[in-house]
Amino acid sequence: MSPTTPPVTAATTETTNPVLDYVRRAVDGYPVVPVRTVHTEIAGIPRTLTLKLEGHSPWRSVKGRTALSLVRSVADDLTVPGATVVESTSGNLGLALSAICRDLGLRFIAVVDQRQSPVLRKAIEDNGGELDWVKTPDDAATHLQDRIARVRELVRDLPHAVWPNQYENDANWRVHESWTAPELDAQAGPEAQVLFAGVSTGGTLAGLSRYFRHARPNLRIVAVDVRGSTVFGGVPRPRALSGIGASRRSAFLDGTDCDAVLLVEERRAVACCHTLRADTGIAVGGSSGAVLAGALEYFYRHPEVRHALCLCPDLGDNYAPTVYHPAWLDRIGLPADAGRLRHRTGAACPGFRADAPEHPVPDDEAAVPTAPSEEDVPR
Ligand SMILES: Cc1ncc(COP(=O)(O)O)c(C=O)c1O
């Protein structure tokens, strides 16, 4: 579905706040996001993964739900004439917010840095959002802190600026507790033993964990991050993937219970993306590749685990110039074909087989658009 198509249905109950009415209609019209089941074999044992493909959402990622929840939480401030929404984003939240703000007639400024996918930056602009760039050097580990400092400046200087603040606003995780998690619960069979979710702000993990701790107390919950991120206290180092990892920890992660934290190498995440696409035609984004890499590593260590759930935040269509581009792979030192990637990155990506989709899946699943020219590849 195009990101410019709002998931709006006929209103149920109208309120006096048009922003709240919009959010309610958008939630009512949101589709159930499909899952796909894939199989692999680790240590000679067959394993199954249920992938929740959030990229099949109206604004192409799990952040559509987050955006609606954040907007609802600041709805009163948004009815002030001249209100401008300002948010730091690694791209997906910016895309959803730009579409929502366009529909509501609000100005939106996305504070971004050069690591984000150019596909997402263009989509934000296509929806009328403005990009405000932070020029943090590539080899710095402070992109997020620099973006937040810039948001604070804008909020100070612009009249009627509203910062939903995805890093500290409980609306971020609550929506995944009340909506994403029960939806996945209804789709997952009783055989699921462990749930894997990637972490950036930690909102997705925090919400899923809170719900599943009550709904399925025996389901293990595993947080996946990438090496170089300091969310779980790792050693900071430059990272290439966007949407996973951060240089600071969100407060709401402190109240989040999980059974294990796995830090995966970005190269393995990328290898998983390519192997999954080559073997099944399902192309996911880099943070989903990290989730898969984490799940495979966990399978190696846990022969008793046969069935995992993986929250996949977006699809590969956002990453044609990065994760799926030979020049970008070259830059991070990986060969461009999946077979050699598998070899170079070790046995942790053994290959996948997909079940046929239970329901027709939109065409965009394996859609990695034609690779752009060299100049479009972000440095
Ligand atoms: C592609 C992608 N994956 C994962 C995440 C992480 O989600 P969260 O911020 O809820 O931890 C994001 C967040 O921006 C994202 O854009």
Side-chain angles (χ1 to χ4, degrees):
M1 190 182 296
S2 146
T4 55
T5 307
V8 174
T9 56
T12 40
T13 325
E14 295 293 324
T15 70
T16 51
N17 184 320
V19 176
L20 290 177
D21 291 337
Y22 175 90
V23 170
R24 179 168 303 141
R25 291 198 303 275
V27 171
D28 284 351
Y30 219 83
V32 171
V33 175
V35 293
R36 289 289 306 271
T37 302
V38 302
H39 304 276
T40 189
E41 192 177 299
I42 306 270
I45 303 166
R47 323 283 183 123
T48 300
L49 302 108
T50 299
L51 312 181
K52 175 88 166 148
L53 295 174
E54 285 286 320
H56 289 301
S57 303
W59 298 304
R60 301 188 348 220
S61 83
V62 71
K63 288 286 181 177
R65 303 177 195 260
T66 317
L68 288 168
S69 182
L70 291 172
V71 164
R72 178 167 46 203
S73 74
V74 294
D76 286 342
D77 300 329
L78 297 182
T79 53
V80 175
T84 298
V85 176
V86 182
E87 185 59 279
S88 153
T89 171
S90 60
N92 278 323
L93 181 66
L95 168 54
L97 284 176
S98 65
I100 293 169
C101 288
R102 180 210 54 203
D103 292 340
L104 290 168
L106 295 165
R107 184 180 175 201
F108 172 58
I109 302 176
V111 177
V112 296
D113 60 59
Q114 75 272 21
R115 266 188 330 176
Q116 279 111 24
S117 156
V119 178
L120 285 169
R121 290 198 301 255
K122 180 170 181 310
I124 292 171
E125 288 189 308
D126 288 349
N127 280 317
E130 298 166 41
L131 301 178
D132 191 285
W133 288 80
V134 170
K135 303 279 181 216
T136 307
D138 253 1
D139 57 357
T142 58
H143 293 80
L144 177 55
Q145 276 117 319
D146 295 348
R147 278 195 266 138
I148 290 175
R150 178 60 184 151
V151 169
R152 289 190 199 283
E153 267 175 30
L154 288 167
V155 169
R156 188 193 59 210
D157 297 343
L158 282 172
H160 312 304
V162 180
W163 177 22
N165 194 351
Q166 61 162 330
Y167 309 98
E168 290 176 8
N169 187 338
D170 286 345
N172 178 342
W173 62 263
R174 284 188 196 284
V175 72
H176 300 298
E177 180 186 25
S178 63
W179 186 14
T180 320
E183 188 176 299
L184 175 56
D185 192 16
Q187 292 168 309
E191 62 281 3
Q193 294 161 289
V194 53
L195 165 70
F196 295 90
V199 173
S200 180
T201 67
T204 317
L205 175 78
L208 293 175
S209 164
R210 280 165 173 86
Y211 173 89
F212 280 113
R213 277 294 185 242
H214 291 104
R216 295 193 187 212
N218 294 328
L219 185 75
R220 297 181 216 173
I221 294 168
V222 178
V224 181
D225 197 3
V226 287
R227 291 203 187 278
S229 160
T230 56
V231 171
F232 295 103
V235 179
R237 76 173 193 215
R239 289 172 284 116
L241 295 178
S242 62
I244 186 158
S247 49
R248 77 197 274 278
R249 182 185 170 87
S250 299
F252 41 71
L253 272 175
D254 293 339
T256 299
D257 198 16
C258 55
D259 297 284
V261 174
L262 291 176
L263 293 187
V264 303
E265 290 290 344
E266 290 189 310
R267 294 155 62 92
R268 280 197 198 282
V270 173
C272 283
C273 289
H274 282 260
T275 305
L276 183 73
R277 183 174 66 152
D279 292 353
T280 69
I282 303 170
V284 292
S287 68
S288 307
V291 168
L292 285 176
L296 298 178
E297 199 175 312
Y298 195 84
F299 282 146
Y300 272 105
R301 295 188 204 165
H302 295 274
E304 78 286 6
V305 173
R306 306 299 163 91
H307 195 129
L309 306 176
C310 294
L311 195 288
C312 296
D314 64 0
L315 295 176
D317 50 357
N318 291 333
Y319 306 99
T322 55
V323 172
Y324 291 97
H325 197 292
W328 188 89
L329 290 174
D330 194 41
R331 197 162 306 130
I332 66 166
L334 289 173
D337 66 278
R340 283 170 60 232
L341 262 170
R342 203 176 293 182
H343 176 69
R344 279 273 297 275
T345 50
C349 203
F352 301 97
R353 181 176 51 78
D355 286 353
E358 272 177 37
H359 303 286
V361 177
D363 302 339
D364 53 359
E365 185 158 282
V368 175
T370 321
S373 67
E374 277 289 296
E375 301 83 70
D376 292 333
V377 180
R379 312 214 150 250

